[in-house]
Amino acid sequence: MDEPLLTDRRPLPIDGRLGQQLAFLIEVDRLKTVLRASTLAAADRRENDAEHSWHLALMVPVLAEYADEPIDVGHTIRLVVVHDLVEIYAGDTPIYNDELRTDQVERELAAADKLFGLLPEDQAREFRALWDEFEARETPEARFAKAIDRLEPNLLNWMAGGGTWLTPGVTADTVRERTAHIGQASNALGEAMTALIAGAERNGWVAAGQQGGARPA
């Protein structure tokens, strides 16, 4: 969190508003280095946060027709593109890692203050508002964005034949509980997630039964 900005190493010869914006865009290049727990469907390596954000941005227009409430697709894309930027400083917190989840809120709030503060004041407010909207899940767009964010890594788990579902203590009931946001925004996508969990349970890719102290996220 306290490490120097990338542009501190090689300052830009550009001042003012544009200089701030370009410095922010360079700093968020760090997102490409933040590894997630999920592995890619197309290669035997872990997904990074930038790849995850791109996948979500594509999933929104492809799956928007399944939203239970009308959504502004462009606004929803902005939400999914912005929401993981804080992990540049806070790191990824896997959905099934209870230890890391204990201080997730504090880490991400501090990261949001630092990262969005790099932008000009008006854009800092705008981007922080997008991030806060996603976290609060009080708008149709935020609820659908959260549903897509929960669906994507679980699709990758299916393709991996378990993936993070094989985390010790995780069961099919854990997965059902922590993917409940999907069905709250889209009945169709919620049913698809239910089918994935049932299939994974039959295939032995996730443990049956309830254990491990599952908590909703």
Side-chain angles (χ1 to χ4, degrees), residues 44 55 64 77 99 118 131 205 210 212:
D44 186 20
H55 214 170
I77 291 173
E99 183 177 352
L118 299 177
W131 186 76
W205 297 344
Q210 185 172 16

Side-chain angles (χ1 to χ4, degrees), residues 17-213:
R17 181 180 179 87
L18 179 58
Q20 287 181 272
Q21 292 165 325
L22 294 178
F24 171 82
L25 291 171
I26 289 172
E27 188 68 10
V28 299
D29 189 65
R30 293 183 187 270
L31 198 67
K32 302 171 187 176
T33 71
V34 180
L35 292 179
R36 295 172 53 82
S38 303
T39 56
L40 300 178
D44 186 20
R45 67 168 177 83
R46 288 164 65 188
E47 178 186 44
N48 69 51
D49 257 351
E51 292 166 331
H52 172 68
S53 294
W54 163 81
H55 214 170
L56 299 186
L58 184 59
M59 289 173 72
V60 169
V62 170
L63 300 176
E65 65 189 271
Y66 300 107
D68 288 345
E69 304 170 272
I71 61 169
D72 180 320
V73 170
H75 185 71
T76 308
I77 291 173
R78 287 164 66 84
L79 291 174
V80 299
V81 168
V82 166
H83 94 277
D84 270 334
L85 291 177
V86 297
E87 295 185 2
I88 288 169
Y89 301 135
D92 176 55
T93 303
I95 184 177
Y96 302 117
N97 187 318
D98 285 341
E99 183 177 352
L100 284 178
R101 282 155 51 89
T102 57
D103 65 346
Q104 179 180 2
V105 172
E106 293 79 7
R107 284 186 286 110
E108 293 188 351
L109 284 170
D113 288 342
K114 178 177 178 179
L115 183 65
F116 299 133
L118 299 177
L119 285 163
E121 186 175 344
D122 60 320
Q123 287 187 320
R125 290 194 301 269
E126 176 188 357
F127 277 64
R128 179 58 182 265
L130 288 169
W131 186 76
D132 288 339
E133 180 182 348
F134 179 95
E135 293 299 316
R137 300 194 300 274
E138 293 177 351
T139 64
E141 288 81 7
R143 286 189 285 273
F144 193 72
K146 185 68 173 184
I148 294 299
D149 185 48
R150 284 294 162 89
L151 179 60
E152 190 261 6
N154 285 291
L155 289 175
L156 295 181
N157 281 347
W158 175 271
M159 295 306 300
T164 63
W165 292 335
L166 298 174
T167 302
V170 171
T171 71
D173 285 344
T174 314
V175 180
R176 291 185 184 97
E177 193 168 25
R178 297 194 184 173
T179 59
H181 295 308
I182 299 173
Q184 292 167 6
S186 168
N187 184 63
L189 297 183
E191 289 180 352
M193 187 67 231
T194 296
L196 290 174
I197 298 168
E201 197 170 8
R202 286 193 302 271
N203 293 336
W205 297 344
V206 64
Q210 185 172 16
Q211 62 186 36

